[in-house]
Coordinates of all heavy atoms in Angstrom, one line a residue:
R220 N 1.2 -17.5 -5.1 CA 0.9 -18.8 -4.7 C 1.3 -18.9 -3.2 O 2.2 -18.2 -2.8 CB 1.4 -20.0 -5.4 CG 2.9 -20.0 -5.3 CD 3.5 -21.2 -6.1 NE 4.8 -21.3 -5.9 CZ 5.8 -20.9 -6.7 NH1 5.6 -20.5 -7.9 NH2 7.1 -21.2 -6.4
F221 N 0.7 -19.6 -2.4 CA 1.0 -19.8 -1.0 C 2.0 -21.0 -0.9 O 1.9 -22.0 -1.5 CB -0.2 -20.0 -0.1 CG -1.1 -18.9 -0.1 CD1 -2.2 -18.9 -0.9 CD2 -0.8 -17.8 0.7 CE1 -3.1 -17.7 -1.0 CE2 -1.6 -16.7 0.7 CZ -2.8 -16.6 -0.1
L222 N 3.0 -20.8 -0.1 CA 4.1 -21.9 0.2 C 4.0 -22.3 1.7 O 3.5 -21.5 2.5 CB 5.4 -21.3 -0.1 CG 5.6 -20.8 -1.6 CD1 7.0 -20.2 -1.7 CD2 5.5 -22.0 -2.5
N223 N 4.4 -23.4 1.9 CA 4.4 -24.0 3.3 C 5.4 -23.4 4.2 O 5.4 -23.5 5.4 CB 4.5 -25.6 3.3 CG 3.2 -26.1 2.7 OD1 2.2 -25.6 2.8 ND2 3.4 -27.3 2.0
S224 N 6.5 -22.8 3.6 CA 7.6 -22.4 4.4 C 8.3 -21.2 3.7 O 8.3 -21.0 2.4 CB 8.7 -23.5 4.4 OG 9.9 -23.0 5.0
Y225 N 8.9 -20.3 4.4 CA 9.6 -19.1 3.9 C 11.0 -19.6 3.3 O 11.7 -18.9 2.7 CB 9.8 -18.1 4.9 CG 10.7 -18.4 6.0 CD1 12.0 -18.1 5.9 CD2 10.2 -18.9 7.1 CE1 12.9 -18.4 7.0 CE2 11.1 -19.3 8.2 CZ 12.4 -19.0 8.1 OH 13.2 -19.3 9.1
L226 N 11.3 -20.9 3.6 CA 12.6 -21.3 3.2 C 12.5 -22.0 1.8 O 13.0 -23.0 1.5 CB 13.1 -22.5 4.2 CG 13.3 -22.0 5.5 CD1 13.6 -23.2 6.5 CD2 14.4 -20.9 5.6
S227 N 11.8 -21.4 0.9 CA 11.7 -21.8 -0.5 C 12.9 -21.4 -1.4 O 13.7 -20.6 -0.9 CB 10.3 -21.2 -1.1 OG 10.5 -19.9 -1.2
Q228 N 13.0 -21.9 -2.5 CA 14.0 -21.5 -3.4 C 14.1 -20.1 -3.6 O 13.1 -19.4 -3.7 CB 13.8 -22.2 -4.8 CG 14.8 -21.9 -5.8 CD 14.5 -22.5 -7.2 OE1 13.5 -23.2 -7.3 NE2 15.3 -22.1 -8.2
I229 N 15.3 -19.4 -3.6 CA 15.4 -18.0 -3.8 C 14.8 -17.6 -5.1 O 15.0 -18.2 -6.1 CB 16.9 -17.6 -3.7 CG1 17.6 -17.9 -2.4 CG2 17.1 -16.2 -4.1 CD1 19.0 -17.7 -2.2
G230 N 14.0 -16.5 -4.9 CA 13.2 -16.0 -6.1 C 12.0 -16.7 -6.5 O 11.3 -16.3 -7.4
A231 N 11.7 -17.7 -5.7 CA 10.4 -18.5 -6.0 C 9.1 -17.8 -5.4 O 8.1 -18.0 -5.7 CB 10.6 -19.9 -5.4
A232 N 9.4 -16.8 -4.5 CA 8.2 -16.2 -3.8 C 8.6 -14.9 -3.3 O 9.8 -14.7 -2.9 CB 7.6 -17.1 -2.7
D233 N 7.6 -14.0 -3.2 CA 7.9 -12.7 -2.4 C 7.5 -13.0 -1.0 O 6.7 -13.8 -0.7 CB 6.9 -11.7 -3.0 CG 7.2 -11.3 -4.4 OD1 8.4 -11.2 -4.8 OD2 6.2 -11.0 -5.2
I234 N 8.2 -12.4 -0.1 CA 8.1 -12.6 1.3 C 7.4 -11.3 1.8 O 8.0 -10.2 1.8 CB 9.4 -12.8 2.1 CG1 10.1 -14.0 1.5 CG2 9.0 -13.1 3.5 CD1 9.5 -15.4 1.8
F235 N 6.3 -11.4 2.5 CA 5.6 -10.2 3.1 C 5.6 -10.6 4.6 O 5.3 -11.7 5.0 CB 4.3 -10.0 2.6 CG 4.3 -9.5 1.1 CD1 4.1 -10.5 0.1 CD2 4.5 -8.3 0.7 CE1 4.0 -10.2 -1.2 CE2 4.5 -8.0 -0.6 CZ 4.3 -8.9 -1.6
F236 N 5.7 -9.6 5.5 CA 5.7 -9.8 6.9 C 4.3 -9.4 7.4 O 3.8 -8.4 7.1 CB 6.8 -9.0 7.6 CG 8.2 -9.5 7.1 CD1 8.8 -8.8 6.1 CD2 8.8 -10.6 7.6 CE1 10.1 -9.2 5.6 CE2 10.0 -11.1 7.2 CZ 10.6 -10.4 6.2
P237 N 3.7 -10.2 8.4 CA 2.5 -9.8 8.9 C 2.5 -8.6 9.7 O 3.5 -8.2 10.4 CB 2.1 -11.0 9.9 CG 3.4 -11.7 10.1 CD 4.4 -11.3 9.0
T238 N 1.5 -7.7 9.5 CA 1.5 -6.4 10.2 C 0.1 -6.2 10.7 O -0.9 -6.5 10.0 CB 1.9 -5.2 9.2 OG1 3.2 -5.5 8.6 CG2 1.8 -3.9 9.9
D239 N 0.0 -5.7 11.9 CA -1.2 -5.3 12.5 C -1.6 -3.9 12.2 O -1.1 -3.0 12.8 CB -1.2 -5.5 14.1 CG -2.5 -5.3 14.8 OD1 -3.5 -4.6 14.2 OD2 -2.7 -5.7 15.9
F240 N -2.3 -3.7 11.0 CA -2.5 -2.4 10.4 C -3.4 -1.6 11.4 O -3.2 -0.3 11.4 CB -3.0 -2.5 9.2 CG -2.1 -2.8 8.0 CD1 -2.1 -4.1 7.4 CD2 -1.1 -1.9 7.7 CE1 -1.2 -4.3 6.4 CE2 -0.1 -2.2 6.8 CZ -0.2 -3.4 6.1
A241 N -4.4 -2.1 12.2 CA -5.2 -1.4 13.1 C -4.3 -0.8 14.2 O -4.5 0.4 14.5 CB -6.3 -2.3 13.7
A242 N -3.4 -1.5 14.7 CA -2.5 -1.0 15.7 C -1.5 0.1 15.1 O -1.3 1.1 15.8 CB -1.6 -2.1 16.3
L243 N -1.1 -0.3 13.9 CA -0.2 0.8 13.2 C -1.0 2.1 13.0 O -0.3 3.1 13.3 CB 0.3 0.2 11.9 CG 1.2 1.2 11.1 CD1 2.5 1.5 11.9 CD2 1.5 0.5 9.7
Q244 N -2.1 2.0 12.6 CA -3.0 3.2 12.5 C -3.2 4.0 13.7 O -3.0 5.2 13.7 CB -4.3 2.8 11.8 CG -5.2 4.0 11.4 CD -6.5 3.6 10.7 OE1 -6.8 2.4 10.6 NE2 -7.3 4.5 10.3
R245 N -3.5 3.3 14.9 CA -3.6 3.9 16.1 C -2.3 4.7 16.5 O -2.4 5.8 17.0 CB -4.1 2.9 17.1 CG -5.5 2.5 17.0 CD -6.0 1.7 18.3 NE -5.2 0.6 18.6 CZ -5.3 -0.6 18.0 NH1 -6.3 -0.9 17.1 NH2 -4.5 -1.7 18.4
V246 N -1.2 3.9 16.4 CA 0.1 4.6 16.8 C 0.4 5.8 15.8 O 0.8 6.8 16.3 CB 1.2 3.5 16.7 CG1 2.6 4.2 16.9 CG2 1.0 2.5 17.8
W247 N 0.2 5.6 14.6 CA 0.4 6.7 13.6 C -0.3 8.0 14.0 O 0.2 9.0 14.1 CB 0.0 6.2 12.3 CG 0.2 7.3 11.1 CD1 -0.8 8.0 10.6 CD2 1.4 7.6 10.4 NE1 -0.3 8.9 9.7 CE2 1.0 8.6 9.5 CE3 2.7 7.2 10.5 CZ2 1.9 9.1 8.6 CZ3 3.6 7.8 9.7 CH2 3.2 8.8 8.7
Q248 N -1.6 7.8 14.3 CA -2.5 8.9 14.6 C -2.1 9.5 16.0 O -2.2 10.7 16.1 CB -3.9 8.5 14.5 CG -4.3 8.2 13.1 CD -5.8 7.7 12.9 OE1 -6.3 7.0 13.8 NE2 -6.4 7.9 11.7
A249 N -1.8 8.6 16.9 CA -1.5 9.1 18.3 C -0.1 9.9 18.3 O 0.0 10.9 19.1 CB -1.3 7.9 19.2
K250 N 0.7 9.6 17.3 CA 2.0 10.3 17.2 C 1.9 11.6 16.4 O 3.0 12.2 16.0 CB 3.1 9.4 16.7 CG 3.5 8.3 17.6 CD 4.1 8.8 18.9 CE 4.5 7.7 19.8 NZ 5.1 8.2 21.0
G251 N 0.7 11.9 15.9 CA 0.5 13.1 15.2 C 0.7 12.9 13.7 O 0.9 13.8 12.9
G252 N 0.6 11.7 13.2 CA 0.8 11.4 11.8 C -0.4 11.8 10.9 O -0.2 11.7 9.7
G253 N -1.5 12.1 11.4 CA -2.6 12.5 10.7 C -3.5 11.3 10.3 O -3.4 10.2 10.9
D254 N -4.3 11.6 9.4 CA -5.3 10.6 8.9 C -4.7 9.5 8.2 O -3.7 9.6 7.5 CB -6.3 11.3 8.0 CG -7.6 10.4 8.0 OD1 -7.8 9.5 8.8 OD2 -8.5 10.7 7.0
A255 N -5.1 8.2 8.4 CA -4.6 7.1 7.7 C -5.6 6.1 7.5 O -6.8 6.1 8.0 CB -3.6 6.4 8.6
G256 N -5.4 5.1 6.6 CA -6.3 4.0 6.3 C -5.6 2.9 5.7 O -4.4 2.9 5.4
V257 N -6.4 1.7 5.6 CA -5.8 0.5 5.0 C -6.7 0.1 3.9 O -7.8 0.1 3.9 CB -5.8 -0.6 6.1 CG1 -5.3 -1.9 5.5 CG2 -5.0 -0.2 7.4
V258 N -5.9 -0.2 2.8 CA -6.7 -0.7 1.6 C -6.0 -2.0 1.1 O -4.9 -2.3 1.4 CB -6.6 0.4 0.4 CG1 -7.3 1.6 0.8 CG2 -5.2 0.6 0.0
S259 N -6.8 -2.8 0.3 CA -6.2 -4.0 -0.2 C -5.2 -3.7 -1.3 O -5.2 -2.6 -1.9 CB -7.3 -4.9 -0.8 OG -7.8 -4.3 -2.0
H260 N -4.4 -4.8 -1.6 CA -3.4 -4.6 -2.7 C -4.2 -4.3 -4.0 O -3.7 -3.4 -4.8 CB -2.6 -5.9 -2.9 CG -1.6 -5.8 -3.8 ND1 -1.8 -6.1 -5.1 CD2 -0.3 -5.3 -3.8 CE1 -0.6 -5.9 -5.9 NE2 0.3 -5.4 -5.0
A261 N -5.3 -5.0 -4.3 CA -6.0 -4.7 -5.6 C -6.7 -3.3 -5.6 O -6.5 -2.6 -6.6 CB -7.2 -5.8 -5.7
E262 N -7.1 -2.8 -4.5 CA -7.7 -1.4 -4.4 C -6.6 -0.4 -4.5 O -6.8 0.6 -5.3 CB -8.4 -1.2 -3.1 CG -9.0 0.1 -3.0 CD -9.7 0.4 -1.6 OE1 -9.8 -0.6 -0.9 OE2 -10.1 1.5 -1.4
F263 N -5.5 -0.7 -4.0 CA -4.3 0.3 -4.2 C -4.0 0.3 -5.6 O -3.7 1.4 -6.2 CB -3.1 -0.3 -3.3 CG -1.9 0.6 -3.5 CD1 -1.7 1.7 -2.6 CD2 -0.9 0.4 -4.4 CE1 -0.7 2.6 -2.7 CE2 0.2 1.2 -4.5 CZ 0.3 2.3 -3.7
C264 N -3.8 -0.9 -6.2 CA -3.4 -0.9 -7.8 C -4.5 -0.2 -8.6 O -4.1 0.5 -9.6 CB -3.3 -2.3 -8.2 SG -1.7 -3.0 -7.4
M265 N -5.8 -0.4 -8.3 CA -6.8 0.2 -9.1 C -6.9 1.7 -8.9 O -7.0 2.6 -9.9 CB -8.2 -0.3 -8.7 CG -8.4 -1.7 -9.2 SD -10.1 -2.4 -8.9 CE -10.2 -2.5 -7.2
R266 N -6.5 2.2 -7.8 CA -6.4 3.6 -7.4 C -5.2 4.3 -8.0 O -5.3 5.5 -8.6 CB -6.5 3.8 -5.9 CG -6.6 5.3 -5.5 CD -6.6 5.4 -4.0 NE -7.8 4.8 -3.4 CZ -8.1 4.9 -2.1 NH1 -7.3 5.5 -1.3 NH2 -9.1 4.3 -1.6
Y267 N -4.0 3.7 -8.0 CA -2.8 4.5 -8.3 C -2.0 3.7 -9.5 O -1.1 4.4 -10.0 CB -1.8 4.5 -7.2 CG -2.4 5.1 -5.9 CD1 -2.9 4.3 -4.8 CD2 -2.6 6.5 -5.8 CE1 -3.4 5.0 -3.7 CE2 -3.2 7.1 -4.8 CZ -3.6 6.3 -3.7 OH -4.1 6.9 -2.6
G268 N -2.5 2.6 -9.9 CA -1.8 1.9 -11.0 C -2.4 2.2 -12.4 O -3.4 2.8 -12.5
E269 N -1.8 1.6 -13.4 CA -2.3 1.6 -14.7 C -2.8 0.3 -15.1 O -2.2 -0.5 -15.7 CB -1.2 2.2 -15.6 CG -0.8 3.6 -15.5 CD 0.2 4.0 -16.4 OE1 0.3 3.6 -17.6 OE2 1.1 4.9 -16.0
V270 N -3.9 -0.1 -14.5 CA -4.5 -1.4 -14.7 C -4.5 -1.9 -16.0 O -4.2 -3.1 -16.2 CB -5.8 -1.5 -13.8 CG1 -6.5 -2.9 -14.0 CG2 -5.6 -1.2 -12.3
P271 N -5.1 -1.2 -17.0 CA -5.0 -1.7 -18.4 C -3.7 -2.2 -18.9 O -3.7 -3.2 -19.7 CB -5.7 -0.7 -19.2 CG -6.5 0.2 -18.3 CD -5.6 0.1 -16.9
R272 N -2.7 -1.5 -18.5 CA -1.4 -1.9 -18.9 C -0.7 -3.1 -18.3 O 0.3 -3.4 -18.6 CB -0.5 -0.6 -18.8 CG -1.0 0.6 -19.7 CD 0.0 1.7 -19.5 NE 1.2 1.4 -20.2 CZ 2.3 2.2 -20.2 NH1 2.2 3.4 -19.6 NH2 3.4 1.9 -20.9
T273 N -1.3 -3.5 -17.2 CA -0.8 -4.7 -16.4 C -1.5 -6.0 -16.7 O -1.2 -6.9 -16.0 CB -0.8 -4.3 -15.0 OG1 -2.1 -4.1 -14.5 CG2 0.2 -3.1 -14.8
S274 N -2.6 -5.9 -17.5 CA -3.2 -7.1 -17.8 C -2.6 -8.0 -18.9 O -2.1 -7.4 -19.8 CB -4.8 -6.7 -18.4 OG -5.4 -6.1 -17.3
C275 N -2.7 -9.2 -18.7 CA -2.2 -10.2 -19.8 C -3.1 -10.3 -20.9 O -4.2 -9.8 -20.8 CB -1.9 -11.5 -19.1 SG -0.7 -11.5 -17.7
V276 N -2.7 -10.8 -22.0 CA -3.5 -11.0 -23.2 C -4.7 -11.8 -22.8 O -5.8 -11.5 -23.4 CB -2.6 -11.7 -24.3 CG1 -3.5 -12.0 -25.5 CG2 -1.4 -10.9 -24.7
N277 N -4.7 -12.9 -21.9 CA -5.8 -13.7 -21.6 C -6.8 -13.0 -20.6 O -7.6 -13.6 -20.2 CB -5.3 -15.0 -21.2 CG -4.6 -15.0 -19.9 OD1 -4.4 -14.0 -19.3 ND2 -4.2 -16.2 -19.4
G278 N -6.4 -11.7 -20.3 CA -7.3 -11.1 -19.3 C -6.8 -11.1 -17.8 O -7.4 -10.4 -17.0
Y279 N -6.0 -12.1 -17.5 CA -5.5 -12.2 -16.2 C -4.7 -10.9 -15.7 O -3.8 -10.5 -16.7 CB -4.5 -13.4 -16.1 CG -3.8 -13.7 -14.8 CD1 -4.4 -14.0 -13.6 CD2 -2.4 -13.4 -14.7 CE1 -3.7 -14.2 -12.5 CE2 -1.7 -13.5 -13.6 CZ -2.4 -13.9 -12.5 OH -1.8 -14.0 -11.3
N280 N -4.8 -10.4 -14.6 CA -4.1 -9.4 -14.2 C -3.5 -9.5 -12.8 O -4.1 -9.7 -11.8 CB -5.1 -8.0 -14.0 CG -4.2 -6.8 -13.7 OD1 -3.2 -6.8 -13.0 ND2 -4.6 -5.7 -14.4
P281 N -2.2 -9.9 -12.8 CA -1.5 -10.3 -11.6 C -1.6 -9.1 -10.5 O -1.7 -9.5 -9.3 CB -0.1 -10.5 -12.0 CG 0.2 -9.9 -13.2 CD -1.2 -9.8 -13.9
L282 N -1.7 -7.9 -10.8 CA -1.8 -6.9 -9.8 C -3.1 -6.9 -9.1 O -3.1 -6.5 -7.9 CB -1.6 -5.5 -10.5 CG -0.1 -5.2 -11.0 CD1 -0.2 -3.8 -11.5 CD2 0.9 -5.3 -9.9
L283 N -4.1 -7.4 -9.7 CA -5.4 -7.5 -9.1 C -5.7 -8.8 -8.6 O -6.5 -8.9 -7.6 CB -6.5 -7.0 -10.1 CG -6.3 -5.6 -10.7 CD1 -7.5 -5.3 -11.7 CD2 -6.2 -4.6 -9.7
Q284 N -5.2 -9.8 -9.1 CA -5.6 -11.2 -8.8 C -4.6 -11.9 -7.9 O -5.1 -12.9 -7.2 CB -5.9 -11.9 -10.1 CG -7.1 -11.4 -10.8 CD -7.3 -12.0 -12.2 OE1 -6.8 -11.5 -13.2 NE2 -7.9 -13.1 -12.2
D285 N -3.4 -11.4 -7.8 CA -2.5 -12.0 -6.9 C -2.5 -11.2 -5.7 O -3.0 -10.1 -5.6 CB -1.1 -12.1 -7.5 CG -1.0 -13.1 -8.6 OD1 -1.9 -14.0 -8.7 OD2 0.0 -13.2 -9.4
Y286 N -1.7 -11.6 -4.7 CA -1.6 -10.9 -3.5 C -2.9 -10.6 -2.7 O -3.0 -9.4 -2.2 CB -0.8 -9.5 -3.7 CG 0.5 -9.7 -4.4 CD1 0.7 -9.3 -5.7 CD2 1.5 -10.5 -3.8 CE1 1.9 -9.6 -6.4 CE2 2.7 -10.8 -4.5 CZ 2.9 -10.2 -5.8 OH 4.0 -10.5 -6.5
A287 N -3.8 -11.4 -2.6 CA -5.1 -11.2 -2.0 C -4.9 -11.0 -0.6 O -5.8 -10.4 0.1 CB -6.0 -12.4 -2.3
N288 N -3.9 -11.5 0.1 CA -3.7 -11.4 1.4 C -2.8 -10.2 1.8 O -2.3 -10.2 3.0 CB -3.2 -12.7 2.0 CG -1.8 -13.1 1.4 OD1 -1.4 -12.5 0.3 ND2 -1.1 -13.8 2.1
V289 N -2.7 -9.2 0.9 CA -1.8 -8.1 1.1 C -2.6 -6.8 1.2 O -3.4 -6.6 0.4 CB -0.7 -8.0 0.1 CG1 0.1 -6.7 0.2 CG2 0.2 -9.2 0.0
D290 N -2.3 -6.0 2.2 CA -2.9 -4.7 2.4 C -1.9 -3.7 2.4 O -0.7 -4.0 2.6 CB -3.6 -4.7 3.7 CG -4.9 -5.6 3.8 OD1 -5.5 -5.8 2.6 OD2 -5.3 -6.0 4.8
M291 N -2.3 -2.4 2.1 CA -1.4 -1.3 2.1 C -1.8 -0.3 3.1 O -3.1 0.0 3.3 CB -1.4 -0.5 0.8 CG -1.1 -1.4 -0.4 SD 0.6 -1.8 -0.5 CE 0.7 -2.8 -1.9
F292 N -0.9 0.3 3.9 CA -1.1 1.3 5.0 C -0.9 2.7 4.2 O 0.1 2.9 3.7 CB -0.2 1.2 6.1 CG -0.4 2.2 7.1 CD1 -1.4 2.1 8.1 CD2 0.5 3.3 7.2 CE1 -1.6 3.2 9.0 CE2 0.3 4.3 8.1 CZ -0.7 4.2 9.0
L293 N -1.9 3.5 4.1 CA -1.8 4.8 3.5 C -2.2 5.9 4.5 O -3.0 5.8 5.2 CB -2.7 4.8 2.2 CG -2.6 3.7 1.3 CD1 -3.6 3.9 0.2 CD2 -1.2 3.8 0.6
S294 N -1.5 7.0 4.3 CA -1.7 8.2 5.1 C -1.5 9.5 4.2 O -1.0 9.5 3.1 CB -0.8 8.2 6.2 OG 0.5 8.4 5.9
V295 N -2.0 10.6 4.9 CA -1.6 11.9 4.3 C -0.1 12.2 4.6 O 0.3 12.1 5.9 CB -2.5 12.9 4.9 CG1 -2.3 14.4 4.3 CG2 -4.0 12.6 4.6
W296 N 0.6 12.5 3.7 CA 2.0 12.8 4.0 C 2.4 14.0 3.2 O 2.2 14.1 2.0 CB 3.0 11.6 3.7 CG 4.3 12.0 4.1 CD1 5.4 12.4 3.5 CD2 4.8 12.0 5.6 NE1 6.5 12.5 4.2 CE2 6.1 12.3 5.5 CE3 4.2 11.7 6.7 CZ2 6.9 12.5 6.7 CZ3 4.9 11.9 7.9 CH2 6.2 12.1 7.8
P297 N 3.0 15.0 3.7 CA 3.4 15.1 5.2 C 2.1 15.3 6.0 O 1.1 15.8 5.5 CB 4.4 16.3 5.3 CG 4.1 17.2 4.0 CD 3.5 16.2 2.9
P298 N 2.2 15.1 7.3 CA 1.0 15.3 8.2 C 0.5 16.8 8.0 O 1.5 17.6 7.8 CB 1.6 14.9 9.6 CG 2.7 14.1 9.3 CD 3.3 14.4 8.0
P299 N -0.7 17.1 8.2 CA -1.2 18.5 8.2 C -0.4 19.4 8.9 O -0.1 20.5 8.4 CB -2.6 18.3 8.6 CG -3.0 16.9 8.4 CD -1.8 16.1 8.6
Q300 N 0.0 19.1 10.2 CA 0.8 20.1 10.9 C 2.2 20.4 10.4 O 2.6 21.5 10.4 CB 0.9 19.7 12.4 CG 1.6 18.3 12.7 CD 0.7 17.1 12.6 OE1 -0.3 17.2 11.9 NE2 1.0 16.2 13.3
A301 N 2.7 19.4 9.7 CA 4.1 19.6 9.0 C 3.9 20.3 7.8 O 4.7 21.2 7.4 CB 4.7 18.2 8.8
A302 N 2.9 20.2 7.0 CA 2.5 20.9 5.8 C 2.4 22.3 6.0 O 2.7 23.1 5.1 CB 1.4 20.3 5.1
S303 N 2.0 22.7 7.2 CA 1.8 24.2 7.4 C 3.0 24.9 7.9 O 3.1 26.1 7.9 CB 0.8 24.4 8.5 OG 1.2 23.8 9.8
R304 N 4.2 24.2 8.0 CA 5.4 24.8 8.4 C 6.1 25.3 7.1 O 6.1 24.7 6.2 CB 6.3 23.8 9.2 CG 5.8 23.4 10.6 CD 6.9 22.7 11.4 NE 7.3 21.4 10.8 CZ 6.9 20.3 11.3 NH1 6.0 20.2 12.3 NH2 7.3 19.2 10.8
P305 N 6.7 26.5 7.3 CA 7.5 27.1 6.1 C 8.5 26.1 5.7 O 9.2 25.5 6.5 CB 8.1 28.4 6.7 CG 7.2 28.7 7.9 CD 6.8 27.4 8.4
G306 N 8.7 26.1 4.4 CA 9.8 25.2 3.9 C 9.5 23.7 3.6 O 10.3 23.0 3.3
T307 N 8.3 23.3 4.1 CA 7.9 22.0 3.9 C 7.4 21.7 2.5 O 6.6 22.5 2.0 CB 6.7 21.6 4.8 OG1 7.2 21.8 6.2 CG2 6.4 20.1 4.7
D308 N 8.0 20.7 1.8 CA 7.6 20.4 0.5 C 6.5 19.5 0.4 O 6.6 18.4 0.9 CB 8.9 19.9 -0.3 CG 8.7 19.4 -1.7 OD1 7.6 19.9 -2.3 OD2 9.4 18.7 -2.3
T309 N 5.4 19.9 -0.1 CA 4.2 18.9 -0.2 C 3.9 18.5 -1.6 O 3.0 17.8 -1.9 CB 3.0 19.6 0.3 OG1 2.7 20.9 -0.6 CG2 3.0 20.1 1.8
A310 N 4.9 18.8 -2.5 CA 4.8 18.2 -4.0 C 4.8 16.7 -3.9 O 5.6 16.1 -3.3 CB 6.0 18.8 -4.8
G311 N 3.9 16.2 -4.6 CA 3.8 14.7 -4.7 C 3.2 14.0 -3.4 O 3.3 12.8 -3.1
A312 N 2.5 14.9 -2.5 CA 2.0 14.4 -1.4 C 0.9 13.4 -1.7 O 0.2 13.5 -2.7 CB 1.4 15.5 -0.4
L313 N 0.7 12.4 -0.8 CA -0.2 11.3 -1.0 C -1.4 11.4 0.0 O -1.2 11.5 1.2 CB 0.5 9.9 -0.9 CG -0.5 8.7 -0.9 CD1 -1.0 8.6 -2.4 CD2 0.4 7.4 -0.6
D314 N -2.5 11.7 -0.5 CA -3.8 11.7 0.3 C -4.4 10.3 0.1 O -5.0 10.0 -1.0 CB -4.7 12.8 -0.1 CG -5.9 12.9 0.7 OD1 -6.3 12.0 1.4 OD2 -6.5 14.1 0.8
W315 N -4.5 9.5 1.1 CA -5.0 8.1 0.9 C -6.5 8.1 0.6 O -6.9 7.2 0.0 CB -4.8 7.3 2.2 CG -5.7 7.6 3.4 CD1 -5.5 8.6 4.3 CD2 -6.9 7.0 3.7 NE1 -6.4 8.6 5.2 CE2 -7.4 7.6 4.9 CE3 -7.6 5.9 3.1 CZ2 -8.5 7.2 5.5 CZ3 -8.9 5.6 3.9 CH2 -9.3 6.3 4.9
Q316 N -7.2 9.2 0.9 CA -8.6 9.2 0.5 C -9.0 9.6 -0.9 O -10.0 9.2 -1.5 CB -9.4 10.1 1.5 CG -9.4 9.6 2.9 CD -10.1 10.5 3.9 OE1 -10.1 11.6 3.7 NE2 -10.6 9.9 5.0
S317 N -8.2 10.4 -1.5 CA -8.4 11.0 -2.8 C -7.4 10.6 -3.9 O -7.7 11.0 -5.0 CB -8.6 12.5 -2.7 OG -7.3 13.1 -2.3
G318 N -6.3 10.0 -3.5 CA -5.3 9.5 -4.5 C -4.2 10.5 -4.7 O -4.1 11.6 -3.9
P319 N -3.3 10.3 -5.6 CA -2.2 11.2 -5.7 C -2.4 12.5 -6.2 O -3.4 12.8 -6.9 CB -1.2 10.4 -6.7 CG -2.2 9.6 -7.5 CD -3.4 9.2 -6.5
K320 N -1.6 13.6 -5.8 CA -1.8 14.8 -6.2 C -1.4 15.0 -7.7 O -0.3 14.4 -8.1 CB -1.0 15.9 -5.5 CG -1.6 16.2 -4.1 CD -0.8 17.3 -3.4 CE -1.4 17.7 -2.2 NZ -0.7 18.8 -1.5
E321 N -2.0 15.7 -8.5 CA -1.6 15.8 -9.9 C -0.6 16.9 -10.0 O -0.5 17.8 -9.3 CB -2.9 16.1 -10.8 CG -3.9 15.1 -10.8 CD -3.5 13.8 -11.4 OE1 -2.7 13.8 -12.3 OE2 -3.9 12.7 -10.8

Protein backbone atom coordinates (compact mmCIF):
# COMPACT_ATOMS: atom_id res chain seq x y z
CA ARG A 1 0.00 0.00 0.00
CA PHE A 2 1.12 3.55 -0.56
CA LEU A 3 1.65 5.84 2.42
CA ASN A 4 1.81 9.61 2.55
CA SER A 5 5.06 9.64 4.53
CA TYR A 6 8.07 7.47 5.24
CA LEU A 7 7.51 8.36 8.91
CA SER A 8 4.96 5.59 9.36
CA GLN A 9 4.83 3.13 12.23
CA ILE A 10 7.93 0.90 12.28
CA GLY A 11 7.19 -2.29 10.39
CA ALA A 12 4.07 -0.88 8.70
CA ALA A 13 5.74 -0.52 5.31
CA ASP A 14 8.78 -1.44 3.27
CA ILE A 15 10.88 1.54 2.23
CA PHE A 16 12.35 1.55 -1.27
CA PHE A 17 14.53 4.34 -2.59
CA PRO A 18 14.00 5.91 -6.01
CA THR A 19 16.66 4.90 -8.50
CA ASP A 20 17.25 6.09 -12.05
CA PHE A 21 17.80 2.65 -13.58
CA ALA A 22 18.51 4.05 -17.06
CA ALA A 23 21.40 6.09 -15.63
CA LEU A 24 22.58 3.14 -13.53
CA GLN A 25 22.59 0.93 -16.61
CA ARG A 26 24.65 3.46 -18.59
CA VAL A 27 27.21 3.81 -15.78
CA TRP A 28 27.34 0.04 -15.27
CA GLN A 29 28.07 -0.57 -18.94
CA ALA A 30 30.52 2.35 -19.23
CA LYS A 31 32.54 0.95 -16.31
CA GLY A 32 32.80 -2.44 -18.01
CA GLY A 33 30.05 -4.18 -16.08
CA GLY A 34 28.68 -5.91 -19.16
CA ASP A 35 25.12 -6.29 -20.33
CA ALA A 36 22.33 -5.21 -18.00
CA GLY A 37 18.59 -4.71 -17.98
CA VAL A 38 15.66 -3.63 -15.84
CA VAL A 39 12.65 -5.83 -15.07
CA SER A 40 9.56 -5.29 -12.96
CA HIS A 41 9.25 -6.92 -9.55
CA ALA A 42 6.54 -9.24 -10.88
CA GLU A 43 8.66 -10.25 -13.89
CA PHE A 44 11.63 -10.92 -11.60
CA CYS A 45 9.47 -13.12 -9.35
CA MET A 46 7.98 -15.03 -12.29
CA ARG A 47 11.48 -15.63 -13.70
CA TYR A 48 13.32 -16.60 -10.51
CA GLY A 49 10.70 -17.35 -7.87
CA GLU A 50 8.44 -20.25 -7.13
CA VAL A 51 5.23 -18.42 -7.90
CA PRO A 52 2.78 -21.28 -7.19
CA ARG A 53 4.25 -21.61 -3.69
CA THR A 54 3.67 -17.93 -2.92
CA SER A 55 0.00 -17.70 -3.85
CA CYS A 56 -2.60 -17.42 -1.12
CA VAL A 57 -5.58 -19.78 -0.90
CA ASN A 58 -7.83 -17.15 -2.47
CA GLY A 59 -5.46 -16.78 -5.47
CA TYR A 60 -3.91 -13.50 -4.35
CA ASN A 61 -0.15 -13.46 -4.87
CA PRO A 62 1.69 -10.68 -3.03
CA LEU A 63 4.87 -11.25 -5.03
CA LEU A 64 3.07 -10.52 -8.28
CA GLN A 65 0.38 -8.10 -7.17
CA ASP A 66 2.21 -5.92 -4.66
CA TYR A 67 5.25 -3.73 -5.38
CA ALA A 68 3.91 -2.57 -8.76
CA ASN A 69 6.21 0.45 -8.55
CA VAL A 70 9.38 -1.62 -7.92
CA ASP A 71 11.91 -2.61 -10.59
CA MET A 72 15.04 -4.77 -10.43
CA PHE A 73 18.39 -4.02 -12.03
CA LEU A 74 19.89 -7.23 -13.42
CA SER A 75 23.21 -7.88 -15.05
CA VAL A 76 25.56 -10.64 -16.07
CA TRP A 77 27.84 -11.30 -13.13
CA PRO A 78 30.71 -11.59 -13.13
CA PRO A 79 31.21 -9.38 -16.19
CA PRO A 80 32.42 -11.31 -19.27
CA GLN A 81 35.95 -9.92 -19.03
CA ALA A 82 36.22 -10.99 -15.37
CA ALA A 83 34.85 -14.45 -16.13
CA SER A 84 37.70 -15.05 -18.57
CA ARG A 85 40.35 -14.46 -15.89
CA PRO A 86 41.83 -17.55 -14.23
CA GLY A 87 40.50 -18.21 -10.75
CA THR A 88 37.20 -16.38 -11.30
CA ASP A 89 34.30 -18.32 -9.85
CA THR A 90 31.26 -18.16 -12.13
CA ALA A 91 29.18 -20.73 -10.23
CA GLY A 92 25.74 -19.31 -9.62
CA ALA A 93 26.31 -16.49 -12.10
CA LEU A 94 23.18 -14.58 -13.03
CA ASP A 95 22.43 -13.85 -16.66
CA TRP A 96 19.58 -11.35 -16.68
CA GLN A 97 18.41 -12.46 -20.12
CA SER A 98 18.17 -16.22 -19.55
CA GLY A 99 17.74 -16.63 -15.79
CA PRO A 100 19.85 -18.37 -13.16
CA LYS A 101 22.43 -20.99 -14.09
CA GLU A 102 21.39 -24.50 -13.17
